[in-house]
PDB file of all heavy atoms in Angstrom:
ATOM      1  N   GLU A 149    -221.781-105.830  -7.154  1.00 49.00           N
ATOM      2  CA  GLU A 149    -221.372-104.995  -8.284  1.00 49.00           C
ATOM      3  C   GLU A 149    -222.403-104.013  -8.702  1.00 49.00           C
ATOM      4  O   GLU A 149    -222.233-102.896  -9.007  1.00 49.00           O
ATOM      5  CB  GLU A 149    -220.972-105.865  -9.511  1.00 49.00           C
ATOM      6  CG  GLU A 149    -219.645-106.632  -9.311  1.00 49.00           C
ATOM      7  CD  GLU A 149    -219.384-107.630 -10.438  1.00 49.00           C
ATOM      8  OE1 GLU A 149    -220.366-108.310 -10.868  1.00 49.00           O
ATOM      9  OE2 GLU A 149    -218.285-107.733 -10.884  1.00 49.00           O
ATOM     10  N   MET A 150    -223.757-104.524  -8.691  1.00 44.00           N
ATOM     11  CA  MET A 150    -224.894-103.671  -9.095  1.00 44.00           C
ATOM     12  C   MET A 150    -225.060-102.561  -8.018  1.00 44.00           C
ATOM     13  O   MET A 150    -225.555-101.515  -8.375  1.00 44.00           O
ATOM     14  CB  MET A 150    -226.124-104.504  -9.212  1.00 44.00           C
ATOM     15  CG  MET A 150    -226.150-105.205 -10.632  1.00 44.00           C
ATOM     16  SD  MET A 150    -225.849-104.215 -12.036  1.00 44.00           S
ATOM     17  CE  MET A 150    -227.077-102.945 -11.920  1.00 44.00           C
ATOM     18  N   LEU A 151    -224.769-102.825  -6.799  1.00 40.00           N
ATOM     19  CA  LEU A 151    -224.967-101.910  -5.631  1.00 40.00           C
ATOM     20  C   LEU A 151    -224.081-100.652  -5.931  1.00 40.00           C
ATOM     21  O   LEU A 151    -224.576 -99.563  -5.757  1.00 40.00           O
ATOM     22  CB  LEU A 151    -224.566-102.530  -4.267  1.00 40.00           C
ATOM     23  CG  LEU A 151    -224.844-101.684  -3.075  1.00 40.00           C
ATOM     24  CD1 LEU A 151    -226.308-101.423  -2.898  1.00 40.00           C
ATOM     25  CD2 LEU A 151    -224.244-102.497  -1.957  1.00 40.00           C
ATOM     26  N   PHE A 152    -222.941-100.890  -6.570  1.00 40.00           N
ATOM     27  CA  PHE A 152    -222.034 -99.671  -6.862  1.00 40.00           C
ATOM     28  C   PHE A 152    -222.140 -99.324  -8.253  1.00 40.00           C
ATOM     29  O   PHE A 152    -221.297 -98.500  -8.620  1.00 40.00           O
ATOM     30  CB  PHE A 152    -220.575-100.164  -6.367  1.00 40.00           C
ATOM     31  CG  PHE A 152    -220.443-100.302  -4.881  1.00 40.00           C
ATOM     32  CD1 PHE A 152    -220.504-101.536  -4.347  1.00 40.00           C
ATOM     33  CD2 PHE A 152    -220.302 -99.114  -4.166  1.00 40.00           C
ATOM     34  CE1 PHE A 152    -220.382-101.658  -2.955  1.00 40.00           C
ATOM     35  CE2 PHE A 152    -220.102 -99.339  -2.756  1.00 40.00           C
ATOM     36  CZ  PHE A 152    -220.188-100.556  -2.163  1.00 40.00           C
ATOM     37  N   ALA A 153    -222.948 -99.750  -9.085  1.00 46.00           N
ATOM     38  CA  ALA A 153    -223.011 -99.480 -10.490  1.00 46.00           C
ATOM     39  C   ALA A 153    -223.723 -98.156 -10.721  1.00 46.00           C
ATOM     40  O   ALA A 153    -224.770 -97.761 -10.055  1.00 46.00           O
ATOM     41  CB  ALA A 153    -223.710-100.627 -11.335  1.00 46.00           C
ATOM     42  N   THR A 154    -223.246 -97.331 -11.651  1.00 53.00           N
ATOM     43  CA  THR A 154    -223.912 -96.072 -11.926  1.00 53.00           C
ATOM     44  C   THR A 154    -225.044 -96.283 -13.064  1.00 53.00           C
ATOM     45  O   THR A 154    -225.900 -95.512 -13.155  1.00 53.00           O
ATOM     46  CB  THR A 154    -222.947 -94.974 -12.598  1.00 53.00           C
ATOM     47  OG1 THR A 154    -222.349 -95.663 -13.724  1.00 53.00           O
ATOM     48  CG2 THR A 154    -221.766 -94.678 -11.538  1.00 53.00           C
ATOM     49  N   HIS A 155    -224.896 -97.392 -13.842  1.00 55.00           N
ATOM     50  CA  HIS A 155    -225.932 -97.649 -14.834  1.00 55.00           C
ATOM     51  C   HIS A 155    -226.506 -99.077 -14.606  1.00 55.00           C
ATOM     52  O   HIS A 155    -225.852 -99.898 -14.072  1.00 55.00           O
ATOM     53  CB  HIS A 155    -225.313 -97.653 -16.214  1.00 55.00           C
ATOM     54  CG  HIS A 155    -225.044 -96.214 -16.734  1.00 55.00           C
ATOM     55  ND1 HIS A 155    -224.052 -95.386 -16.067  1.00 55.00           N
ATOM     56  CD2 HIS A 155    -225.428 -95.586 -17.794  1.00 55.00           C
ATOM     57  CE1 HIS A 155    -224.038 -94.276 -16.694  1.00 55.00           C
ATOM     58  NE2 HIS A 155    -224.839 -94.341 -17.726  1.00 55.00           N
ATOM     59  N   PRO A 156    -227.787 -99.271 -14.982  1.00 74.00           N
ATOM     60  CA  PRO A 156    -228.434-100.587 -14.838  1.00 74.00           C
ATOM     61  C   PRO A 156    -227.720-101.597 -15.766  1.00 74.00           C
ATOM     62  O   PRO A 156    -227.051-101.174 -16.691  1.00 74.00           O
ATOM     63  CB  PRO A 156    -229.853-100.356 -15.321  1.00 74.00           C
ATOM     64  CG  PRO A 156    -230.087 -98.864 -15.330  1.00 74.00           C
ATOM     65  CD  PRO A 156    -228.711 -98.250 -15.545  1.00 74.00           C
ATOM     66  N   TYR A 157    -227.997-102.870 -15.477  1.00 78.00           N
ATOM     67  CA  TYR A 157    -227.439-103.929 -16.349  1.00 78.00           C
ATOM     68  C   TYR A 157    -228.148-103.828 -17.675  1.00 78.00           C
ATOM     69  O   TYR A 157    -229.294-103.663 -17.875  1.00 78.00           O
ATOM     70  CB  TYR A 157    -227.852-105.281 -15.595  1.00 78.00           C
ATOM     71  CG  TYR A 157    -227.562-106.485 -16.408  1.00 78.00           C
ATOM     72  CD1 TYR A 157    -226.248-106.752 -16.896  1.00 78.00           C
ATOM     73  CD2 TYR A 157    -228.482-107.521 -16.419  1.00 78.00           C
ATOM     74  CE1 TYR A 157    -225.982-107.965 -17.495  1.00 78.00           C
ATOM     75  CE2 TYR A 157    -228.162-108.708 -17.059  1.00 78.00           C
ATOM     76  CZ  TYR A 157    -226.914-108.919 -17.612  1.00 78.00           C
ATOM     77  OH  TYR A 157    -226.666-110.037 -18.275  1.00 78.00           O
ATOM     78  N   SER A 158    -227.315-103.987 -18.698  1.00 84.00           N
ATOM     79  CA  SER A 158    -227.837-103.835 -20.148  1.00 84.00           C
ATOM     80  C   SER A 158    -228.840-104.710 -20.535  1.00 84.00           C
ATOM     81  O   SER A 158    -229.810-104.244 -21.230  1.00 84.00           O
ATOM     82  CB  SER A 158    -226.642-103.938 -21.126  1.00 84.00           C
ATOM     83  OG  SER A 158    -225.662-102.919 -21.036  1.00 84.00           O
ATOM     84  N   GLN A 159    -228.769-105.943 -20.147  1.00 87.00           N
ATOM     85  CA  GLN A 159    -229.957-106.882 -20.465  1.00 87.00           C
ATOM     86  C   GLN A 159    -231.265-106.485 -19.919  1.00 87.00           C
ATOM     87  O   GLN A 159    -232.284-106.574 -20.571  1.00 87.00           O
ATOM     88  CB  GLN A 159    -229.625-108.300 -20.066  1.00 87.00           C
ATOM     89  CG  GLN A 159    -230.587-109.347 -20.575  1.00 87.00           C
ATOM     90  CD  GLN A 159    -230.644-109.440 -22.043  1.00 87.00           C
ATOM     91  OE1 GLN A 159    -229.579-109.615 -22.737  1.00 87.00           O
ATOM     92  NE2 GLN A 159    -231.806-109.169 -22.641  1.00 87.00           N
ATOM     93  N   ASP A 160    -231.216-105.916 -18.682  1.00 88.00           N
ATOM     94  CA  ASP A 160    -232.502-105.392 -18.089  1.00 88.00           C
ATOM     95  C   ASP A 160    -233.016-104.234 -18.911  1.00 88.00           C
ATOM     96  O   ASP A 160    -234.233-104.053 -19.163  1.00 88.00           O
ATOM     97  CB  ASP A 160    -232.269-104.869 -16.596  1.00 88.00           C
ATOM     98  CG  ASP A 160    -231.919-105.996 -15.732  1.00 88.00           C
ATOM     99  OD1 ASP A 160    -232.317-107.227 -16.002  1.00 88.00           O
ATOM    100  OD2 ASP A 160    -231.364-105.717 -14.594  1.00 88.00           O
ATOM    101  N   ARG A 161    -232.070-103.332 -19.447  1.00 91.00           N
ATOM    102  CA  ARG A 161    -232.580-102.206 -20.264  1.00 91.00           C
ATOM    103  C   ARG A 161    -233.123-102.654 -21.592  1.00 91.00           C
ATOM    104  O   ARG A 161    -234.100-102.147 -22.058  1.00 91.00           O
ATOM    105  CB  ARG A 161    -231.371-101.231 -20.386  1.00 91.00           C
ATOM    106  CG  ARG A 161    -230.908-100.700 -19.154  1.00 91.00           C
ATOM    107  CD  ARG A 161    -229.640 -99.909 -19.284  1.00 91.00           C
ATOM    108  NE  ARG A 161    -229.932 -98.548 -19.722  1.00 91.00           N
ATOM    109  CZ  ARG A 161    -229.031 -97.556 -19.775  1.00 91.00           C
ATOM    110  NH1 ARG A 161    -227.795 -97.824 -19.500  1.00 91.00           N
ATOM    111  NH2 ARG A 161    -229.392 -96.369 -20.114  1.00 91.00           N
TER     112      ARG A 161
END
Side-chain angles (χ1 to χ4, degrees):
E149 288 171 320
M150 282 311 302
L151 186 64
F152 291 98
T154 58
H155 286 65
Y157 175 49
S158 291
Q159 187 62 57
D160 291 342
R161 297 173 85 174

